[in-house]
Amino acid sequence: MNLHISYDEKFLDPFIENAKRYTNSENVYIVIDIYTGLKYVKTKDVIVCQPEVAQIEVEVQKLSNIKRVYFHSFSPLFAVCSELIVFDSVKKHLLFYGVELFGLKQFEGDFFLPKTKKYIKNIRSEYFKFRWSPIEMRREIINYSHYSRLKKQNDQKITKALEEFHAVGHFIEDDVKDYIQKVSPSIKWINWNFFGMDVGADKSFKQDPENLDTLLLGNSASPFNNHFDALAHLEGLVTDLKIVAPLSYSGAEKYIKKVAKEGDKRFGSSFQPLLDFLPMEEYFALMKTVKAAVYFNLRSQAAGNILWLLTNNIPVFMLEENNLYKMLKQSGIEVYSVEKDLEEFLINAKPFTAHLKNSESIKNVFGEQAMKKKYVNLLA
């Protein structure tokens, strides 16, 4: 029997459906309720727990014949859970999300470009700026020291726990080699990913070639999107397009406001930050106007968004250093280079058509037969 431990998040229901669809494996799911009532998980056949180690342990002890435990992402809470005695003879697997490894202090600096790195440094230095009130200044320093110490402790919990893991499920081998195996050298790689069936071209989605007036920038308000560097790079290249940047989730309010201000300074009303989560109908209406999408992420991120864009014939430009870019190119899935291609596309209006032939390559890597094999390898 496979035990899965996951937070209440949007990827779990599709995972449960795919596990049933593609395998005959027996799977039990413990879902951590952090919203006082499940918000994203709609599947009824799950065990709901509060984010408390003792309660999770009680539920685990009710189960028998656990052969493998799968942690959907990893957190300090999950790190403590993974060390429970009940898991001593159980193979532990990590289903890779990214934030659990890319967010570690030893790696996070690898993914910020100079302007974004400067912004983050300035934010941190604000804790130590002179304040007229000694009490306020002392409080800020204490808060910074507290959270820095807590961050260090949590990172140590995660790295120590992962040293005991058997395997990691992830679809980018270079990420495993470059980051995961630096934390856990003996961990094995299983080629697997959450998404698959949902990345196919939407037959009802049609763009009007005469009304493509939008450049989509990034996928969220996460600083890993390197918005400040992207906006600086695009200044002078974008002349007749509006720039739309989704900023409605996964970012601090201060960062969101700063990105919006920077975009306005460089592009005026042509920069349009998306500050609210769009209903599906509005999202598709926006996508019908997207001429191209640009990602300044140095880490693998937004794979589901990128594949949706490509399968619907919208060109995508990425940084060549990104392991997701490398993986897609190696798989015969055509994405374009920010460094080599973006200026030709925006300034010289060079026609780009290679991405229009991506459907077969995407099917080979993320289609139904590929997904079946991946889920069998992961769970059987």
Side-chain angles (χ1 to χ4, degrees):
M1 187 255 290
N2 300 319
L3 171 63
H4 299 261
I5 302 180
S6 172
Y7 285 100
D8 175 23
E9 47 80 15
K10 62 184 179 180
F11 292 112
L12 188 60
D13 277 354
F15 180 93
I16 294 173
E17 181 181 340
N18 285 339
K20 290 179 180 178
R21 179 185 181 91
Y22 296 129
T23 78
N24 295 317
S25 59
E26 181 185 1
N27 297 279
V28 174
Y29 301 88
I30 290 178
V31 179
I32 310 303
D33 179 8
I34 56 176
Y35 301 108
T36 316
L38 298 186
K39 181 177 180 180
Y40 295 106
V41 175
K42 305 302 180 184
T43 303
K44 301 300 182 184
D45 191 19
V46 298
I47 300 167
V48 181
C49 285
Q50 299 305 305
E52 300 169 1
V53 175
Q55 185 182 353
I56 296 169
E57 185 175 19
V58 167
E59 294 298 334
V60 171
Q61 288 174 340
K62 294 177 183 178
L63 305 172
S64 60
N65 195 30
I66 301 173
K67 294 182 178 178
R68 291 178 289 262
V69 57
Y70 295 80
F71 289 91
H72 292 232
S73 186
F74 211 56
S75 66
L77 172 66
F78 286 1
V80 175
C81 290
S82 72
E83 300 295 329
L84 295 175
I85 295 175
V86 70
F87 292 140
D88 280 355
S89 60
V90 173
K91 287 185 176 180
K92 303 169 190 176
H93 291 65
L94 168 66
L95 300 189
F96 188 68
Y97 276 52
V99 66
E100 65 273 84
L101 264 296
F102 295 145
L104 293 177
K105 184 72 173 178
Q106 68 194 88
F107 296 136
E108 67 174 11
D110 294 352
F111 306 113
F112 297 128
L113 291 168
K115 293 184 183 301
T116 301
K117 191 175 291 186
K118 181 180 179 181
Y119 166 80
I120 292 171
K121 182 179 179 180
N122 289 341
I123 287 293
R124 290 171 178 169
S125 68
E126 285 183 7
Y127 285 98
F128 301 100
K129 283 185 178 178
F130 176 77
R131 289 169 171 78
W132 288 108
S133 168
I135 295 175
E136 182 182 348
M137 185 172 182
R138 182 172 179 271
R139 182 170 60 244
E140 292 290 346
I141 293 173
I142 290 173
N143 286 342
Y144 181 83
S145 299
H146 169 72
Y147 286 111
S148 295
R149 185 165 59 251
L150 185 62
K151 164 71 171 166
K152 183 178 180 180
Q153 291 171 349
N154 287 339
D155 283 2
Q156 288 172 341
K157 286 179 185 177
I158 289 172
T159 53
K160 181 177 181 295
L162 286 177
E163 290 174 1
E164 304 298 323
F165 269 57
H166 173 71
V168 56
H170 186 40
F171 67 105
I172 302 177
E173 187 176 10
D174 283 345
D175 278 348
V176 176
K177 292 177 178 178
D178 293 347
Y179 302 103
I180 302 171
Q181 288 178 345
K182 286 183 179 177
V183 171
S184 181
S186 63
I187 201 166
K188 296 180 180 178
W189 173 53
I190 299 175
N191 184 6
W192 167 87
N193 49 271
F194 281 101
F195 45 84
M197 297 297 293
D198 59 333
V199 302
D202 186 340
K203 293 181 174 58
S204 65
F205 179 81
K206 301 292 182 185
Q207 286 187 302
D208 179 359
E210 300 300 319
N211 293 298
L212 302 181
D213 63 354
T214 301
L215 190 71
L216 187 66
L217 176 61
N219 77 312
S220 69
S222 165
F224 288 124
N225 283 273
N226 288 301
H227 291 99
F228 302 112
D229 303 85
L231 291 168
H233 185 89
L234 292 172
E235 190 173 22
L237 295 182
V238 177
T239 56
D240 60 348
L241 298 173
K242 61 185 179 184
I243 300 174
V244 172
L247 299 174
S248 59
Y249 67 99
S250 188
E253 188 65 28
K254 183 178 287 189
Y255 180 81
I256 293 170
K257 289 181 178 179
K258 185 69 174 177
V259 171
K261 183 177 179 180
E262 184 74 9
D264 181 70
K265 183 179 84 170
R266 292 184 183 274
F267 297 97
S269 60
S270 293
F271 181 75
Q272 299 180 8
L274 290 183
L275 303 178
D276 298 312
F277 191 79
L278 291 181
M280 191 62 70
E281 297 79 10
E282 293 182 39
Y283 174 78
F284 279 113
L286 170 62
M287 289 300 107
K288 288 181 179 179
T289 71
V290 173
K291 185 173 183 177
V294 178
Y295 294 88
F296 264 67
N297 312 69
L298 286 173
R299 52 157 280 196
S300 53
Q301 195 172 7
N305 297 40
I306 289 168
L307 287 167
W308 187 90
L309 291 163
L310 292 173
T311 53
N312 287 286
N313 296 328
I314 299 173
V316 172
F317 294 80
M318 301 174 66
L319 295 175
E320 293 183 6
E321 189 177 335
N322 188 321
N323 280 342
L324 175 58
Y325 172 90
K326 297 174 188 175
M327 176 267 171
L328 293 172
K329 296 287 278 188
Q330 290 165 2
S331 301
I333 299 171
E334 192 60 54
V335 288
Y336 302 115
S337 164
V338 165
E339 296 91 335
K340 295 177 181 176
D341 301 321
L342 187 57
E343 183 173 351
E344 287 289 308
F345 179 80
L346 292 173
I347 296 296
N348 300 328
K350 179 180 176 180
F352 284 75
T353 59
H355 67 283
L356 301 176
K357 303 174 183 178
N358 272 330
S359 58
E360 194 61 30
S361 295
I362 292 176
K363 180 180 177 182
N364 289 339
V365 182
F366 299 104
E368 184 167 5
Q369 291 306 308
M371 293 305 297
K372 179 178 181 179
K373 183 178 179 180
K374 290 177 181 181
Y375 270 82
V376 169
N377 288 342
L378 182 73
L379 300 175

